[in-house]
Amino acid sequence: TDAPTPAPVTPFPTPDVPDFTGVVLSEFQPNPAGNDPDMQSLELSGGTPGSMFSGWILSIESDNNGDKGIVDHAETISGTFDDNGLLVVTLPDFENPSHTYVLMTAFVADVGYDIDLDNDDVADNTQAFVGVLDAVQVPDTTGEPLYGSQLGGVDLPFVGDEPTLVFRDGVSGSWFSVVDEMTVFDQSGNEIDPGNFTGGNPASFTFGVTNPTTTPSGGGGGGGGVGLTPAP
C-alpha cells in the first residue's frame, strides 16, 4: 500500500509592505545599569529624512535552553526619520540577554512563535517574518545559538558580561558593545580605547544623535545596512 500523501503546508499570508531597505538597528541598551526599566529606547538609522517608518521589533530567546528560538517579545514601531535619517522609538523593556533583536516590516504570527523547532540552533522556521531588515544577537555567555547572522545580521561576541549598551559606528555601521558603562569592544570582541572615537563618548548612549565613530574624518561608508540578506 502506498504511503499516504502528507497534507500540504499552509503558508503564512504575506502582507503588502513598504520597502524599507537600508533601515537598520542603530542603538539600544540590552541590560542598562541599575534596575531594569519599564521602558527602553531603540534607535534606527538609514532612513530617508522626513519619511515615515512602520514595522516590528522582535526579541528572540537566545539562551542555550529549551526556550531558545522562541519569540518572547514583539512590538510594532513607527515614526518619522529626522534630518540625519534617525528614528528613536520607546517601547516596553525586553528580557535581558541572551537575546536576538530582529527588525522587520511585518510579523504574521504571535509571541511564542518558534524559529528553531528542533532546538538545533538553526533558524529554519522563519516564514512568519516578512522583510527582515536587521538582526543582532547579544549573548550573556559563550556557546549560544547564533541566530543574528542566520537572519542576515550579526552575532556579537561575549565580552565577559552583558553589555549595558550596543551601537553602530556612526560612519562605518560596525557594531560596538559597552560593558559597565565604560569598556568598549568591537564586534570581533577586541577592546577599543574610547579615545579612538570622535563625535561623542562611546560609553554613553546618544539616542537621536549620530553615533560616535572610529572612522577618520573624510572616511567613507555609512551607518546603513551592511550586507543584510532576507531571512529564509
Side-chain angles (χ1 to χ4, degrees):
T1 304
D2 293 337
T5 302
V9 175
T10 302
F12 283 90
T14 301
D16 184 16
V17 294
D19 181 6
F20 291 119
T21 300
V23 175
V24 293
L25 298 165
S26 179
E27 182 177 11
F28 61 94
Q29 294 177 283
N31 187 9
N35 296 330
D36 288 344
D38 292 330
M39 306 297 288
Q40 65 170 318
S41 294
L42 176 78
E43 183 182 82
L44 309 183
S45 63
T48 300
S51 67
M52 290 288 297
F53 176 85
S54 62
W56 287 77
I57 182 71
L58 274 57
S59 173
I60 299 172
E61 176 62 65
S62 301
D63 282 311
N64 199 10
N65 58 35
D67 292 331
K68 62 184 175 182
I70 292 178
V71 174
D72 51 19
H73 294 276
E75 299 284 341
T76 56
I77 56 176
S78 62
T80 302
F81 289 104
D82 68 13
D83 290 344
N84 294 314
L86 303 177
L87 169 62
V88 179
V89 297
T90 302
L91 61 158
D93 189 45
F94 291 171
E95 182 182 349
N96 292 342
S98 293
H99 55 216
T100 302
Y101 275 33
V102 189
L103 179 69
M104 63 189 68
T105 51
F107 175 52
V108 293
D110 299 301
V111 168
Y113 182 79
D114 192 350
I115 69 168
D116 187 0
L117 292 171
D118 49 8
N119 285 338
D120 63 352
D121 297 352
V122 177
D124 50 11
N125 183 44
T126 59
Q127 59 177 327
F129 294 179
V130 181
V132 172
L133 299 168
D134 198 7
V136 56
Q137 191 255 9
V138 182
D140 63 4
T141 187
T142 57
E144 307 280 44
L146 305 178
Y147 298 133
S149 56
Q150 294 179 54
L151 295 170
V154 300
D155 304 300
L156 297 181
F158 179 61
V159 290
D161 203 352
E162 297 178 6
T164 51
L165 174 70
V166 296
F167 68 94
R168 282 186 182 274
D169 184 294
V171 175
S172 72
S174 298
W175 281 100
F176 293 93
S177 302
V178 180
V179 172
D180 295 330
E181 299 185 294
M182 60 181 181
T183 309
V184 183
F185 297 88
D186 66 17
Q187 67 183 45
S188 297
N190 303 305
E191 185 173 345
I192 304 298
D193 184 346
N196 292 345
F197 288 83
T198 59
N201 178 3
S204 299
F205 61 79
T206 59
F207 295 111
V209 179
T210 300
N211 292 340
T213 179
T214 57
T215 302
S217 178
V226 261
L228 299 180
T229 54

